[in-house]
Amino acid sequence: MVNFRSSKSHQILLLSLLPASLVAFSPAAPLHSFVSAQPTTTSTTSLCSASNTAPAIPMWAQHEISITAPSRGCHLITSEVNKAIQKDISGMKIGMANLFIQHTSASLTINENADPDVRRDMEVALNKICPSEWTKDGTFDHVMEGEDDMPGHVKSSLMGVSLNIPIKNGRLALGTWQGIYLNEHRNQGGWGGGHTRRIIITLQGQS
């Protein structure tokens, strides 16, 4: 026979032998105060419950645009990009747009969209960073394609060939003063007579 007034260690031993679902107790209460307990019911909310709608299916779209810059330098192309994607992006509440230029002497970046002096100054700065004179003074070995070619490769890597822009409520979430630049790093420009640059635009989002 178990003495309910035995030591605390004996009480703990007895508790360990009882099913937890059959007793409810206060750790400070004597063993003779135990009462049988009804099984408790736990209420949980499932993310996939019948009341919830089905998970949104990701939407994908891809476009290719071709642009020939009028000259070497930085050119604002935000309107051309928006025109190409407007039908697909309008149905996306949240997502991401990737722009990728398929060339090694041109690049993409995001910067000031209002004052054209910014684009001019950007070209000046790039020419200071990597001057075409390096093709003539022995700095570069890759010189067979023109004095602007190897500097164009360097500038392309410095500026980058890809952009990721968030999609928010059916539009590119650019800031008020942000615009998308196509940076042409070769001299052979001119609409219809220069380097045609292909840009792949990939959209992923949800409605």
Side-chain angles (χ1 to χ4, degrees):
M1 180 177 179
V2 178
N3 182 4
F4 285 104
R5 298 184 181 275
S6 60
S7 67
K8 183 177 180 181
S9 63
H10 290 162
Q11 294 178 9
I12 294 174
L13 176 61
L14 180 58
L15 285 177
S16 68
L17 298 176
L18 295 175
S21 61
L22 298 180
V23 296
F25 66 95
S26 166
L31 288 178
H32 63 263
S33 66
F34 289 179
V35 295
S36 63
Q38 297 296 326
T40 59
T41 300
T42 302
S43 176
T44 59
T45 301
S46 172
L47 292 177
C48 299
S49 63
S51 60
N52 291 340
T53 59
I57 299 175
M59 302 163 58
W60 287 85
Q62 191 170 79
H63 300 270
E64 178 177 334
I65 60 175
S66 296
I67 299 176
T68 304
S71 63
R72 193 171 100 178
C74 303
H75 306 277
L76 195 62
I77 62 167
T78 311
S79 60
E80 287 83 353
V81 172
N82 283 331
K83 181 178 179 181
I85 65 176
Q86 60 184 353
K87 181 178 179 180
D88 292 310
I89 199 173
S90 62
M92 297 179 180
K93 185 175 182 181
I94 185 172
M96 186 68 69
N98 174 265
L99 283 70
F100 180 81
I101 190 167
Q102 296 180 302
H103 301 277
T104 60
S105 57
S107 62
L108 299 171
T109 194
I110 293 175
N111 219 298
E112 165 80 55
N113 64 5
D115 187 352
D117 285 346
V118 174
R119 299 193 290 279
R120 184 196 66 82
D121 291 345
M122 189 77 72
E123 172 66 9
V124 170
L126 288 171
N127 292 334
K128 295 283 187 180
I129 293 170
C130 188
S132 60
E133 286 75 15
W134 287 358
T135 307
K136 303 174 183 178
D137 65 9
T139 300
F140 292 144
D141 294 325
H142 180 75
V143 298
M144 295 183 63
E145 297 180 55
E147 66 180 47
D148 62 341
D149 183 56
M150 189 60 215
H153 293 322
V154 174
K155 295 170 185 176
S156 176
S157 288
L158 289 175
M159 300 294 279
V161 297
S162 181
L163 298 174
N164 286 324
I165 305 174
I167 297 170
K168 181 179 180 182
N169 296 328
R171 59 179 294 273
L172 296 177
L174 292 166
T176 301
W177 306 110
Q178 287 183 321
I180 302 169
Y181 286 14
L182 163 62
N183 309 304
E184 175 56 69
H185 303 308
R186 300 294 306 271
N187 290 324
Q188 292 86 345
W191 294 102
H195 293 290
T196 299
R197 303 306 192 178
R198 297 182 308 276
I199 301 172
I200 305 296
I201 309 169
T202 305
L203 307 176
Q204 180 190 16
Q206 294 182 351
S207 59

